[in-house]
Amino acid sequence: MDTAESSSNLKKIQVQRFKPDDNPDNHYLNEETGLWSWLTTVDHKKIGIMYLASITFFFFVGGLMALLVRTELWTPAKTFIEANTYNQLFTLHGAVMIFLFLVPSVPAALGNFILPLQLGAKDVAFPRLNLLSYYLYLAGSFIAIYAIFSGGIDTGWTFYTPYSSSTGGAVTTMTFGVFVIGFSSILTGVNFITTIHKMRAPGLSWDKLPLFCWGLYATSVIQILATPVLAITLALVAMERILGIGIFDPALGGDPVLYQHFFWFYSHPAVYIMIVPGFGVVSEIISTFSKKHIFGYWAIALSSLAIAFIGFLVWGHHMFVSGQATLASMVFSFLTFLVGIPTGIKMFNWTATLYKGSIKLASPLLYIFGFFFLFLVGGLTGIVLGSIALDVHLHDTYYVVAHFHFVMVGGMVMAFLAGLHYWWPKITGKMYNETMAKIACGIIFVGFNVTFLPQFVMGSQGMPRRYFNYIEQFQSFHQVSTIGSYILGLGFLMVFYYLVKSIYRGEQATSNPWGSRALEWQISTLPPLHNFHHTPVIVNGPYDYHKPMEEFQLGLAESGNGHGHDADLEVTKEGEDLSAE
């Protein structure tokens, strides 16, 4: 009976090969031209490029502020700016980097461009909502910039109360800007989840979904569930400042620790908003440049969801010295150790994928190797901070600054740069200078370590973070760190230079320069306006390098979208049965 029912539900489809063009006459950049077409576009690829341009601008703004902060710290006393200016610079560096660069970088920029291509879809589920998300991000960013020039903020990016409730400056304006950006993040999450559920190509079942999509899926869940908490918290801070309602300020009858609970309930999962899509990038590149099936597909996919879930339960480890209950601190400490397990599973599986692989040391993979080392250091030092006794000693020191940057820059930014180099040929149709890319990767790696390794030492010896003045004992560490930041800045400028140069003078990219099996590489370079001239049909997983390339370039031989039958397809090609094994 089961067999009969199964047979009756089976849909037979005829497919044929659609070989991609290397240099098509019509593509997404020339079918709709002019400034107005960009401003009103609902094409996910163009929106992704607009995100990419925006976050690049804010990355260099935030980076410039970091260099100014590091330069000021060259001497123990005043070097060239006043203490109040210094406070505003490090606050804006943190706020700009986190809310305007790190959070939207991989999901909104690379995710927007790549996700529908990997799913075999023509666009995201809600294209107009996608454009609205971008303009909300842009509006929030402009509000934040206005806050900088209309008084600035000196609270640190955490906006801790009661200081943020009572200090001068443009704190209310800045929190409003972050509030607006939060809506952009939520709408992007809704769009991506709906797209992954409803827009997959025929045959693209969950067990064939690229791991980058799994990463974006887990990220979207966090964005939808956690971001509203931050938005409401910042709205409450604004109410306290404007209306004098006592919520967090003890002078008004409020509770400042309540603010910390609210803030970290969002901001710790936000760390995973930034890093989990980066994990997806790592999986794609590791498999492509080792020409091997990813080791432990389901372990990597489900560990992304596990990180998203456990990430909601560890916010209290930021508050070990806030006076919270001892039992609560013990539970949060245990859960902090627990979240390291799914991350460790990923690291093991990536390493196992490389084992006996046909490895090509191209620049995207070099960035991934940098990611491995830096993120490993960031993760292990996180375990130290998850231990209550050690955290009490290291709390609010440069050790925390170094740990945070090893996770965010060493992990997420390195993964972002890897993904940017990996998908650059598909985005622009041009190849960059590979030699310069490798040199820049080395400079960034060296510069980053010279900048932040001394901060671990300073922090363990008691150097507090965010201080304008410091004792002479720490001057040599600060000076080495400052020199490292200049090297790091040079590396980023090199990346910007050769990538922009490649657009004008770069070699024409082929449709699949890396020999990947992933679906986004099975279409023309540059991609068509609506991604596919046919309806793609998936019979193999994206990492099945033991299968011939032509089996990854299949599409419906006849008109029709073929959607809604992803689990019950019998795929034939000229009498040959290609159904998934």
Side-chain angles (χ1 to χ4, degrees):
M1 187 65 183
D2 291 343
T3 304
E5 286 181 357
S6 174
S7 177
S8 63
N9 292 329
L10 199 64
K11 179 180 174 118
K12 294 184 178 179
I13 59 173
Q14 181 72 24
V15 298
Q16 68 181 61
R17 183 183 183 188
F18 292 86
K19 197 172 180 180
D21 295 331
D22 285 341
N23 190 16
D25 293 331
N26 297 317
H27 48 76
Y28 78 101
L29 289 179
N30 67 8
E31 289 206 29
E32 294 175 348
T33 58
L35 178 61
W36 185 248
S37 74
W38 278 89
L39 296 177
T40 59
T41 185
V42 291
D43 180 11
H44 66 96
K45 299 183 289 297
K46 287 185 174 178
I47 293 173
I49 289 177
M50 290 194 292
Y51 267 117
L52 184 60
S54 302
I55 63 169
T56 301
F57 170 76
F58 290 118
F59 175 76
F60 281 104
V61 170
L64 178 62
M65 292 174 179
L67 291 178
L68 292 174
V69 167
R70 287 303 331 159
T71 304
E72 169 54 39
L73 292 171
W74 184 262
T75 61
K78 175 186 173 184
T79 304
F80 75 106
I81 56 176
E82 300 296 332
N84 188 47
T85 307
Y86 169 84
N87 290 341
Q88 294 189 13
L89 280 176
F90 79 69
T91 297
L92 293 170
H93 162 69
V96 168
M97 282 298 196
I98 288 174
F99 297 114
L100 306 186
F101 170 69
L102 286 170
V103 169
S105 57
V106 175
L110 297 181
N112 247 313
F113 197 100
I114 299 300
L115 177 70
L117 299 180
Q118 289 194 328
L119 297 177
K122 291 185 176 180
D123 210 311
V124 292
F126 309 114
R128 289 183 175 82
L129 197 66
N130 199 22
L131 183 62
L132 175 64
S133 299
Y134 173 70
Y135 280 118
L136 284 173
Y137 163 77
L138 213 56
S141 302
F142 284 137
I143 294 170
I145 291 174
Y146 172 75
I148 295 173
F149 292 104
S150 63
I153 51 173
D154 60 355
T155 62
W157 73 274
T158 52
F159 304 106
Y160 262 23
T161 57
Y163 185 69
S164 63
S165 300
S166 56
T167 185
V171 175
T172 305
T173 309
M174 189 70 181
T175 55
F176 180 63
V178 176
F179 184 86
V180 173
I181 293 172
F183 277 99
S184 169
S185 188
I186 293 169
L187 295 180
T188 299
V190 170
N191 220 339
F192 282 4
I193 286 181
T194 310
T195 304
I196 293 171
H197 273 275
K198 305 301 291 184
M199 304 283 284
R200 303 195 309 277
L204 185 55
S205 49
W206 287 96
D207 60 344
K208 295 173 186 166
L209 202 63
L211 289 166
F212 182 60
C213 297
W214 276 106
L216 290 176
Y217 188 85
T219 303
S220 300
V221 171
I222 305 173
Q223 286 176 308
I224 292 172
L225 296 181
T227 310
V229 178
L230 175 71
I232 295 300
T233 304
L234 295 180
L236 291 175
V237 172
M239 286 176 61
E240 195 164 67
R241 288 177 61 88
I242 297 171
L243 304 175
I245 300 173
I247 301 169
F248 304 123
D249 188 350
L252 300 173
D255 182 0
V257 178
L258 177 64
Y259 174 86
Q260 293 188 34
H261 279 291
F262 284 171
F263 181 83
W264 288 115
F265 182 83
Y266 162 80
S267 293
H268 195 82
V271 170
Y272 301 115
I273 291 176
M274 302 175 223
I275 196 67
V276 169
F279 291 160
V281 173
V282 175
S283 299
E284 299 295 321
I285 293 175
I286 288 286
S287 181
T288 296
F289 289 96
S290 63
K291 293 292 182 289
K292 273 187 64 183
H293 190 282
I294 198 81
F295 184 86
Y297 172 89
W298 277 112
I300 295 178
L302 296 181
S303 63
S304 294
L305 298 178
I307 291 171
F309 174 72
I310 301 173
F312 277 104
L313 307 176
V314 301
W315 79 89
H317 70 216
H318 295 273
M319 301 166 57
F320 286 155
V321 298
S322 70
Q324 69 182 359
T326 305
L327 178 61
S329 293
M330 290 173 61
V331 172
F332 281 124
S333 177
F334 170 75
L335 291 171
T336 302
F337 296 146
L338 194 64
V339 80
I341 294 176
T343 309
I345 289 173
K346 286 180 182 294
M347 294 289 281
F348 173 79
N349 284 295
W350 291 328
T351 308
T353 302
L354 288 168
Y355 179 65
K356 289 189 175 180
S358 180
I359 295 174
K360 179 182 180 182
L361 281 177
S363 52
L365 188 60
L366 289 181
Y367 277 105
I368 295 301
F369 287 161
F371 165 93
F372 277 173
F373 176 80
L374 301 178
F375 187 72
L376 184 63
V377 173
L380 293 176
T381 52
I383 293 174
V384 171
L385 292 173
S387 171
I388 299 173
L390 292 173
D391 183 80
V392 170
H393 174 71
L394 297 170
H395 189 84
D396 262 347
T397 68
Y398 261 85
Y399 188 95
V400 178
V401 176
H403 158 72
F404 184 74
H405 282 81
F406 263 85
V407 173
M408 290 292 93
V409 182
M412 184 271 151
V413 174
M414 293 297 276
F416 171 73
L417 288 173
L420 186 63
H421 285 76
Y422 177 56
W423 283 306
W424 188 258
K426 184 60 66 179
I427 295 172
T428 65
K430 297 294 180 65
M431 299 299 293
Y432 47 81
N433 187 314
E434 177 68 10
T435 303
M436 286 193 72
K438 290 179 178 177
I439 294 173
C441 179
I443 291 174
I444 290 173
F445 183 80
V446 171
F448 180 85
N449 282 291
V450 173
T451 304
F452 292 103
L453 282 177
Q455 296 184 10
F456 278 125
V457 182
M458 275 192 288
S460 63
Q461 294 180 356
M463 172 71 209
R465 62 175 174 174
R466 298 175 176 172
Y467 273 33
F468 179 71
N469 295 325
Y470 57 87
I471 58 177
E472 293 182 358
Q473 170 190 345
F474 298 115
Q475 184 172 10
S476 58
F477 293 114
H478 273 296
Q479 290 182 340
V480 171
S481 184
T482 301
I483 292 171
S485 70
Y486 297 155
I487 299 173
L488 188 58
L490 174 65
F492 286 129
L493 284 176
M494 279 187 66
V495 173
F496 181 78
Y497 167 74
Y498 66 72
L499 287 182
V500 171
K501 183 182 177 184
S502 74
I503 296 174
Y504 300 99
R505 298 183 181 178
E507 181 185 344
Q508 186 70 37
T510 61
S511 60
N512 191 359
W514 313 125
S516 172
R517 295 295 192 270
L519 187 56
E520 74 269 23
W521 296 105
Q522 311 310 326
I523 58 173
S524 305
T525 298
L526 297 159
L529 180 61
H530 297 297
N531 299 345
F532 299 90
H533 293 306
H534 58 280
T535 301
V537 175
I538 311 302
V539 297
N540 300 312
Y543 312 112
D544 288 340
Y545 282 90
H546 57 289
K547 300 288 183 67
M549 184 68 83
E550 53 264 29
E551 290 190 11
F552 296 84
Q553 299 171 347
L554 301 176
L556 285 182
E558 55 188 17
S559 60
N561 61 29
H563 287 277
H565 302 278
D566 54 354
D568 301 316
L569 288 181
E570 181 181 333
V571 183
T572 60
K573 176 189 173 189
E574 297 174 350
E576 180 185 0
D577 187 1
L578 296 175
S579 301
E581 296 176 359

